[in-house]
Amino acid sequence: VKVEWLEEIILDFLEIHGLKEACQSVRSSGKRLVVATPRILKPDEDRIWKFYLNLDADALLVRSAGLLHQLLDMGGSGTYVETLEKRIPQLFGDFSLNAANSIS
């Protein structure tokens, strides 16, 4: 990515196929990497957080209340997850997360 003024790239993939490679490409460009997580997690995807933490993103755009709850229960941003030897990156939410919370 050769746009000098661009500081951050958010990757938002419909499927996780190819996401790992795209993250490597952004990381090699020196830009800040933010990865958007799925809006809806299916019952068999309850451990998908491991995949997203292993991407080594600078931040996660969390769109699922369930995933946010899970990451916060683990300690939230900056918490070291020993089983993966990774830290939970900075966490952000967007309109998808807001529309799905219990208050709204």
Side-chain angles (χ1 to χ4, degrees):
V1 181
K2 296 184 179 186
V3 181
E4 292 181 25
W5 54 265
L6 186 67
E7 297 175 1
E8 175 180 273
I9 297 176
I10 300 174
L11 296 179
D12 185 3
F13 279 46
L14 184 59
E15 298 288 331
I16 61 174
H17 303 291
L19 183 55
K20 185 176 180 179
E21 294 79 9
C23 288
Q24 291 169 343
S25 178
V26 171
R27 206 173 303 104
S28 69
S29 76
K31 307 297 181 188
R32 178 175 156 83
L33 171 61
V34 179
V35 177
T37 64
R39 289 178 175 90
I40 298 171
L41 296 179
K42 300 171 190 144
D44 61 335
E45 295 177 335
D46 60 338
R47 296 180 190 259
I48 201 165
W49 60 270
K50 291 180 181 180
F51 173 78
Y52 282 93
L53 291 187
N54 278 317
L55 294 175
D56 293 322
D58 296 302
L60 291 177
L61 177 57
V62 183
R63 294 175 165 170
S64 161
L67 180 58
L68 178 61
H69 181 71
Q70 187 169 21
L71 293 171
L72 291 176
D73 274 354
M74 295 168 60
S77 297
T79 300
Y80 184 74
V81 180
E82 286 189 36
T83 56
L84 298 178
E85 298 182 354
K86 304 282 181 187
R87 291 199 179 277
I88 297 174
Q90 190 173 19
L91 303 175
F92 292 99
D94 72 357
F95 69 94
S96 303
L97 181 62
N98 187 39
N101 71 45
S102 62
I103 296 171
S104 63

